[in-house]
Amino acid sequence: MVQENGVPVGMKHYPVEFKADAVALYRSRPGATIKSVAADLEVNTETLRNWIRTADGPRPGAHSAPLSAAQAGGGDVQTGLTAAR
């Protein structure tokens, strides 16, 4: 795909307010599917799904970045290895 200014051609940019309104609309329709709301708004289904995930924040148990040895509780092990060397 050809790019202009580092953005793939054909990608649409939606205002933050539109994204928030789309998520609110989906949540306000108890029986609605992401597919049906996306069709109503004329956005890609995966695009709306991503907006909903972003609005929900990080999921419990999801790994966003590897833990350092100190964060994982392995700081004492690392200190011991350094001292042994």
Side-chain angles (χ1 to χ4, degrees), residues 2-82:
V2 179
Q3 295 188 354
E4 292 179 7
N5 300 325
V7 177
V9 174
M11 290 187 69
K12 296 180 183 178
H13 294 278
Y14 298 95
V16 174
E17 298 81 16
F18 180 81
K19 294 175 185 181
D21 289 345
V23 171
L25 178 64
Y26 168 71
R27 290 181 175 158
S28 71
R29 294 182 176 175
T33 63
I34 292 174
K35 184 176 181 178
S36 67
V37 173
D40 290 347
L41 297 173
E42 298 180 0
V43 299
N44 183 283
T45 303
E46 288 304 312
T47 299
L48 178 57
R49 188 182 319 277
N50 288 334
W51 295 345
I52 294 166
R53 286 181 183 150
T54 300
D56 288 343
R59 295 177 306 197
H63 302 289
S64 58
L67 296 175
S68 69
Q71 290 172 322
D76 293 337
V77 172
Q78 188 63 38
T79 302
L81 290 174
T82 303

